[in-house]
């Protein structure tokens, strides 16, 4: 998926240089914006399906949840009322971004299943002060079927699931708990049969400022006597990238 989006983005960029009418360029802006969103979705879904080493950084949880809103709405479906409530001036937290996103996605999918795809899910983020210090509390609450005490006692066991065969592997909640442990946080769960469940994730406040998003830079223009060796196993990606480098004035050798 990322290769296909990469090729599409490169050719859209080449086409943009040849367009002069504002209306046509507006269409290209929509294409570029859509490619960026699709790339973010592909990255999130790739992370959700794999297990990668944690690489924590200081993030703004409110901004990250806002960026996930489209993916979360797609995940829970149109029949579910997903409400996202973000307090102002949320404190930064030091976590692995991919595992943070995966944990929230997993909890929302579980909440969707608990409501049979037709209930209310509230994702809330706020600052709280505990005895052990400042924390950011992120909670996922649903009005679904809930769990009894015996089920609640086993939800973090590897491969334990209450879902039908083929619907769940029993790995999501253990992953969330492991992530919270690595982040130095706390995880609380409350549930009542027939009334719903609430998962509360407490993340310690980071003393550092959230890292800013990388700024896209203009590509340098090459000189006629400069040659770039481009090595890429995907033929379509290699050809698209070579075309861009040619347009920038470089000589290109591909392999």
């Amino acid at each position: 998926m990322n290769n296909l989006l990469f090729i599409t983005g490169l050719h859209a960029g080449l086409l943009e240089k040849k367009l002069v009418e504002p209306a046509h360029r507006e269409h290209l802006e929509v294409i570029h914006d859509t490619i960026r969103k699709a790339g973010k979705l592909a990255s999130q879904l790739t992370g959700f399906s794999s297990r990668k080493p944690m690489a924590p950084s200081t993030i703004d949880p409110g901004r990250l949840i806002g960026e996930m809103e489209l993916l979360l709405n797609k995940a829970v479906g149109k029949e579910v009322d997903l409400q996202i409530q973000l307090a102002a001036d949320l404190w930064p937290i030091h976590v692995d971004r991919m595992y943070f996103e995966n944990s929230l996605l997993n909890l929302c999918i579980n909440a969707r299943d608990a409501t049979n795809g037709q209930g209310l899910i509230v994702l809330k983020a706020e600052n709280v002060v505990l005895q052990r210090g400042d924390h950011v509390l992120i909670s996922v609450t649903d009005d679904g079927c809930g769990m009894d005490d015996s089920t609640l006692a086993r939800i973090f066991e590897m491969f334990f699931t209450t879902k039908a065969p083929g619907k769940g592997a029993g790995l999501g909640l253990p992953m969330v708990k492991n992530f919270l442990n690595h982040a130095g946080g706390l995880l609380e769960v409350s549930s009542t049969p027939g009334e719903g469940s609430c998962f509360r994730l407490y993340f310690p406040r980071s003393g550092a400022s959230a890292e800013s998003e990388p700024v896209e830079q203009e590509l340098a223009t090459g000189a006629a006597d400069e040659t770039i060796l481009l090595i890429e196993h995907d033929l379509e990606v290699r050809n698209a990238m070579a075309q861009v480098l040619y347009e920038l004035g470089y000589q290109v050798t591909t392999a």
Side-chain angles (χ1 to χ4, degrees):
M1 175 63 73
N2 282 325
N3 278 353
L4 294 174
L5 293 171
F6 179 69
I7 294 167
T8 306
L10 288 180
H11 282 286
L14 293 172
L15 181 61
E16 188 174 16
K17 295 179 181 180
K18 297 175 170 51
L19 297 179
V20 293
E21 293 191 24
H24 292 166
R25 299 182 69 86
E26 288 178 6
H27 291 311
L28 258 298
E29 281 302 313
V30 173
I31 293 174
H32 283 308
D33 186 56
T34 304
I35 290 171
R36 283 190 290 268
K37 290 178 179 178
K40 188 179 296 292
L41 287 173
S43 176
Q44 290 167 338
L45 292 171
T46 300
F48 183 66
S49 65
S50 64
R51 295 291 178 265
K52 299 178 182 178
M54 294 189 189
S57 60
T58 303
I59 66 166
D60 176 350
R63 184 179 68 194
L64 210 55
I65 293 173
E67 292 175 354
M68 290 184 66
E69 185 171 357
L70 175 62
L71 177 63
L72 293 174
N73 276 291
K74 292 287 186 181
V76 300
K78 296 180 180 179
E79 300 300 319
V80 172
D81 180 11
L82 174 63
Q83 299 181 9
I84 298 179
Q85 303 173 3
L86 304 178
D89 301 320
L90 287 171
W91 293 324
I93 57 178
H94 193 69
V95 297
D96 182 284
R97 175 179 178 136
M98 185 198 77
Y99 275 87
F100 178 84
E101 294 174 338
N102 290 350
S103 295
L104 297 189
L105 179 61
N106 186 280
L107 292 176
C108 286
I109 290 175
N110 284 351
R112 174 204 66 190
D113 293 342
T115 64
N116 200 26
Q118 295 181 329
L120 170 66
I121 301 174
V122 179
L123 171 58
K124 186 176 182 179
E126 58 188 318
N127 297 329
V128 296
V129 179
L130 307 179
Q131 285 188 342
R132 58 188 290 177
D134 295 343
H135 285 69
V136 174
L137 166 60
I138 298 176
S139 59
V140 177
T141 306
D142 67 72
D143 61 354
C145 60
M147 296 175 283
D148 57 27
D149 291 341
S150 61
T151 301
L152 200 58
R154 299 189 61 191
I155 58 174
F156 297 116
E157 292 181 14
M158 294 287 286
F159 306 115
F160 173 76
T161 179
T162 59
K163 299 178 182 180
K167 298 295 184 180
L171 296 173
L173 290 179
M175 182 272 290
V176 174
K177 189 174 187 297
N178 181 59
F179 164 59
L180 261 293
N181 290 339
H182 277 83
L186 301 170
L187 177 58
E188 292 181 349
V189 186
S190 60
S191 186
T192 303
E195 296 182 12
S197 304
C198 180
F199 286 76
R200 301 178 185 87
L201 286 63
Y202 296 87
F203 296 93
R205 178 182 183 178
S206 174
S209 299
E211 298 176 3
S212 58
E213 291 290 317
V215 179
E216 292 186 8
Q217 298 181 356
E218 292 290 331
L219 293 174
T221 301
D225 59 347
E226 292 180 312
T227 301
I228 288 180
L229 171 61
L230 173 61
I231 304 174
E232 165 60 45
H233 73 281
D234 188 295
L235 176 62
E236 293 181 341
V237 172
R238 186 167 72 244
N239 289 343
M241 193 65 212
Q243 184 63 39
V244 171
L245 293 173
Y246 284 131
E247 293 276 343
L248 291 170
Y250 291 101
Q251 298 298 312
V252 183
T253 299
T254 64

